[in-house]
Amino acid sequence: MTTTSPVPAAADAPAQPAVTVTSRPLPVTAVRLDDPFWSPRVEVVRRRTIPFQRRQIDRVGHLRALAGAPDPGDAPPHVFWDSDVAKWIEAASNSLAVTPDARLERDVDEAVEVLARAQHPDGYLNTYFTAAAPGERFTDLRDAHELYCAGHLIEAGVAHHAATGKTSLLDVVRRYADLIGEVFGPGPGQLRGYDGHEEVELALVKLARATGEDRYLRLASYFVDERGREPYFFDAETARRGTDGWFGEHFSGLDHPGRTREYLQAHAPVREQHEAVGHAVRATYLYSAMADLAADTGDGTLLAACRRLWDHLAATRTYVTGGLGSSRVNEGFTRDFDLPAEDAYAETCAAIGLVMWSQRMLTVDRDRRYADTMERALYNAVLAGLSADGEHFFYDNPLASRGGVQRHEWFEVACCPPNIARLLTSLGGYAFAQGRDELVVHLALGAAVRFETSAGPATVDVSTDAPWGGRTQLRVTDSPGGEFTLSLRVPGWAEGGQLTVDGQRFDVADLLGPDGYVSLTRAWQVGAEVVLDLDVAVRRWWADPRVTGEAQHVAVTRGPLVYAAEEVDNGPSLVDLRLDRSAPARVVQVPGLPDVLGVRLSGGRVEHAGAGLYRTEPPRRVPADLLLVPYYAWANRGAGEMRVWLGDSED
């Protein structure tokens, strides 16, 4: 881990205790995935999704536009295009880090070469402002995603270097980051601005860690600290430009929400923000950067803001699936408890952002609620965004559908497909962390995990039957002989369990720490085993009554999985289904979905008598046997109806 010198907090920020980093995510190369649930899915991403996304990028013309040689049929460059290429490179690099693939490496090298040739002599690199809007660089930061694209390029450069040891892309992005550092800042002649779509901030932290260069950390701090200050930068930018920006050009006559300060999380300096507002992806990327900076600079004021924002988000604006963002209009938040099911936007990228933020909060504030949220979002709101075949994607993720909803091969704004690929190819860093003489298991994930202790490296093999079961086993396969700690999260969904350490059994409740983890310290020998057995039960959930759309409705979970009813299993008119409150549940194989387990429950169906829009005859309820499937698996057997929230039999 690279250490950096402290960067001071804003002068007007209230004093807070310094931040203590308890652990850091393990690198991709330290985790060899071997998991019955996740390994097949990651393999689909490696074998199908990554090559498929490269074909889509080539079909649309991203790299040809970068090279300055578009085909006549290519679409004009989009402001987002560089981020699509960058996320694809990051996903491919993550894959190469653990699975050599000569063909994929050649494809990545080819893309890197195109980027290097397209870079301007001063370090600037952006397809749209080179090919479509030359001479307008850094004039439309509010709308045109210039620094957002730069951030994803920087993340790609860091990942590519970590995977391959090559500096070809890292050198490119360092030159670009150095240019950004010259252009932006509070100094004489600098542009005192920041990006409309947050991303470069967290990318610069990654670059600082990879290179050991403090200037990138200081630049990230500047962008975070400057946000929301007066005079308001985007007003001044609009006045200088004399036009209404990219949104004004492409959404003529519409009052696009991108003009509002809340949409951009720029309504107040970040340390004064109390609610998660605006565009959900932008928000989670900003909060991720704030948590990163809290960790790397020791700034307690940023951590305090993150905790405050997290508490608000978790209490009022998060879907039961871990999805974020209720409105299609602003791709984000509206008001507290506004969580419609059928009209839910819940963008896949927003759920990915929540996973990213959760991981970072665990670094500086270990508490199982962050890992519980990360797990819930990962298994539900994120995984639903990818089809079983790895080549179809959801952009938004409703919690109810009247039919006709299906995943798509690609989008004009294709942020979600490569984003989910880069996340799933880096799962190890979300599941496992390295503390001081400690391995932390945040997520139950089968893998061989290598980490450092004061006495030398150690390796632990982790096996699990999650998410279907509650058993996780750790076996020490390499130990230097000194003391180290094994810390395992006990999820909030577990209703009890036992821990066995080298044959000795304990009740989990007796060993559980206040952070929700069991921590065991000893001089572990090769062959030592820890087994965590948790009770995995079907649970029914009722929403806060202020979530008015779900009144008299119930949702079902089992372990980390949220379940949904589909038309293919239960017939049409799912709105008429009713779930019994206390009937036992049976775990069954889902027809047509190999290796997917559903839940069969007793319930009923409302049958409507008479005809016409309004009837004088009352409906009646008849018994029904209901089959629910994991939410992530819906829409893989047709585009029929789906519902997460079902009628409560007692209402």
Side-chain angles (χ1 to χ4, degrees):
M1 179 184 72
T2 300
T3 57
T4 55
S5 62
V7 178
D12 56 352
Q16 293 285 339
V19 175
T20 300
V21 174
T22 61
S23 63
R24 295 279 189 180
L26 282 172
V28 173
T29 51
V31 180
R32 294 284 175 176
L33 193 66
D34 184 14
D35 185 88
F37 182 87
W38 286 109
S39 290
R41 287 163 174 81
V42 174
E43 186 66 7
V44 166
V45 170
R46 185 182 77 84
R47 289 185 175 275
R48 301 195 65 175
T49 307
I50 291 173
F52 175 80
Q53 291 179 354
R54 173 56 189 267
R55 293 195 298 272
Q56 291 290 343
I57 288 171
D58 289 342
R59 177 186 64 81
V60 177
H62 291 59
L63 291 175
R64 290 190 295 273
L66 265 171
D71 285 347
D74 286 351
H78 202 292
V79 291
F80 307 100
W81 273 13
D82 290 1
S83 66
D84 298 340
V85 174
K87 282 182 279 189
W88 176 82
I89 291 174
E90 185 177 352
S93 297
N94 292 339
S95 181
L96 289 172
V98 295
T99 307
D101 183 326
R103 179 175 179 179
L104 180 59
E105 188 167 3
R106 285 195 301 272
D107 284 346
V108 171
D109 286 344
E110 175 189 288
V112 171
E113 289 172 8
V114 172
L115 285 164
R117 289 196 300 269
Q119 188 168 35
H120 293 214
D122 65 354
Y124 187 76
L125 179 57
N126 184 283
T127 303
Y128 179 80
F129 285 99
T130 298
E136 297 180 20
R137 64 162 80 170
F138 303 135
T139 62
D140 190 10
L141 295 168
R142 185 192 68 183
D143 295 357
H145 292 66
E146 206 166 354
L147 294 179
Y148 166 83
C149 287
H152 278 301
L153 287 169
I154 290 168
E155 288 200 81
V158 171
H160 181 249
H161 173 63
T164 68
K166 300 174 183 177
T167 63
S168 50
L169 185 54
L170 187 66
D171 291 342
V172 167
V173 301
R174 289 186 69 174
R175 286 194 295 272
Y176 196 5
D178 289 341
L179 173 66
I180 293 169
E182 293 172 8
V183 171
F184 292 93
Q190 289 185 299
L191 190 59
R192 191 152 188 167
Y194 43 91
D195 52 330
H197 193 315
E198 300 92 329
E199 155 62 30
V200 73
E201 302 89 346
L202 64 90
L204 286 165
V205 175
K206 285 189 175 183
L207 187 60
R209 292 172 179 171
T211 63
E213 295 289 349
D214 280 0
R215 66 181 184 274
Y216 301 129
L217 195 64
R218 289 194 295 270
L219 183 57
S221 293
Y222 160 76
F223 280 132
V224 168
D225 289 340
E226 191 66 22
R227 190 166 216 90
R229 294 189 178 277
E230 298 290 349
Y232 184 54
F233 171 72
F234 293 128
D235 285 349
E237 179 187 63
T238 300
R240 282 194 303 271
R241 189 177 57 243
T243 70
D244 203 19
W246 192 86
F247 284 143
E249 177 185 347
H250 290 80
F251 298 90
S252 179
L254 299 177
D255 186 18
H256 192 277
R259 298 185 177 94
T260 68
R261 298 188 181 196
E262 287 77 10
Y263 178 89
L264 304 159
Q265 297 78 47
H267 55 292
V270 296
R271 292 170 180 80
E272 299 173 16
Q273 296 185 22
H274 296 268
E275 297 184 349
V277 299
H279 190 279
V281 181
R282 298 172 193 240
T284 54
Y285 283 15
L286 170 63
Y287 306 153
S288 295
M290 291 164 61
D292 271 342
L293 287 168
D296 284 17
T297 69
D299 187 343
T301 64
L302 285 175
L303 178 56
C306 282
R307 286 171 172 162
R308 189 169 60 244
L309 291 162
W310 179 280
D311 289 344
H312 171 256
L313 183 70
T316 67
R317 298 188 176 184
T318 304
Y319 280 99
V320 69
T321 58
L324 298 181
S326 57
S327 175
R328 182 178 301 273
V329 174
N330 70 342
E331 296 184 303
F333 307 108
T334 53
R335 62 187 183 278
D336 289 352
F337 306 105
D338 180 30
L339 296 166
E342 188 172 342
D343 295 330
Y345 196 65
E347 183 181 339
T348 299
C349 281
I352 292 170
L354 181 59
V355 171
M356 291 163 50
W357 186 24
S358 303
Q359 177 204 45
R360 288 159 168 82
M361 290 301 290
L362 286 165
T363 297
V364 292
D365 195 18
R366 189 184 299 174
D367 187 317
R368 74 175 176 193
R369 63 180 181 150
Y370 303 124
D372 284 354
T373 297
M374 178 167 66
E375 182 182 57
R376 176 71 67 91
L378 182 62
Y379 274 105
N380 300 285
V382 172
L383 193 54
L386 180 67
S387 64
D389 67 10
E391 297 183 0
H392 296 82
F393 310 91
F394 276 142
Y395 196 102
D396 52 315
N397 294 275
L399 277 70
S401 168
R402 301 186 192 187
V405 176
Q406 57 188 350
R407 295 175 181 85
H408 299 276
E409 287 190 346
W410 206 243
F411 308 94
E412 180 183 4
V413 179
C415 54
C416 297
N419 213 6
I420 196 170
R422 72 175 183 141
L423 174 63
L424 295 187
T425 53
S426 59
L427 273 181
Y430 293 88
F432 304 105
Q434 162 86 64
R436 181 175 177 83
D437 291 328
E438 180 186 31
L439 173 65
V440 187
V441 182
H442 292 310
L443 302 175
L445 192 73
V449 186
R450 192 165 182 82
F451 60 102
E452 295 298 323
T453 74
S454 298
T459 303
V460 172
D461 283 356
V462 183
S463 59
T464 181
D465 57 4
W468 314 118
R471 166 168 281 220
T472 299
Q473 179 177 1
L474 278 63
R475 184 172 186 272
V476 178
T477 57
D478 185 17
S479 174
E483 279 195 352
F484 59 87
T485 301
L486 298 177
S487 294
L488 298 83
R489 175 181 62 107
V490 178
W493 51 255
E495 298 186 350
Q498 288 191 326
L499 189 78
T500 304
V501 183
D502 286 339
Q504 186 176 2
R505 303 182 76 179
F506 304 89
D507 189 283
V508 167
D510 294 336
L511 300 176
L512 190 63
D515 58 4
Y517 287 72
V518 170
S519 295
L520 306 166
T521 303
R522 62 185 62 190
W524 297 97
Q525 302 300 313
V526 171
E529 288 188 345
V530 176
V531 181
L532 180 63
D533 279 303
L534 300 173
D535 296 333
V536 185
V538 171
R539 302 175 77 176
R540 294 163 174 84
W541 297 83
W542 288 265
D544 185 295
R546 289 168 287 186
V547 184
T548 56
E550 306 314 335
Q552 291 84 51
H553 287 79
V554 61
V556 172
T557 65
R558 183 174 182 272
L561 297 173
V562 176
Y563 284 78
E566 283 200 276
E567 180 181 350
V568 65
D569 303 308
N570 301 284
S573 299
L574 300 182
V575 69
D576 291 327
L577 298 183
R578 299 292 183 268
L579 276 178
D580 287 347
R581 286 192 174 183
S582 58
R586 290 182 291 126
V587 178
V588 298
Q589 175 67 49
V590 176
L593 291 176
D595 304 321
V596 175
L597 299 182
V599 172
R600 194 169 287 281
L601 294 148
S602 296
R605 176 181 288 277
V606 174
E607 291 187 345
H608 301 275
L613 182 60
Y614 306 104
R615 297 102 184 264
T616 58
E617 298 179 60
R620 67 188 183 97
R621 189 175 300 178
V622 298
D625 194 26
L626 311 182
L627 176 61
L628 309 185
V629 303
Y631 173 75
Y632 77 79
W634 84 279
N636 278 289
R637 296 174 296 163
E641 293 184 35
M642 178 277 295
R643 291 187 71 85
V644 169
W645 290 98
L646 299 171
D648 185 349
S649 63
E650 300 297 315
D651 292 293

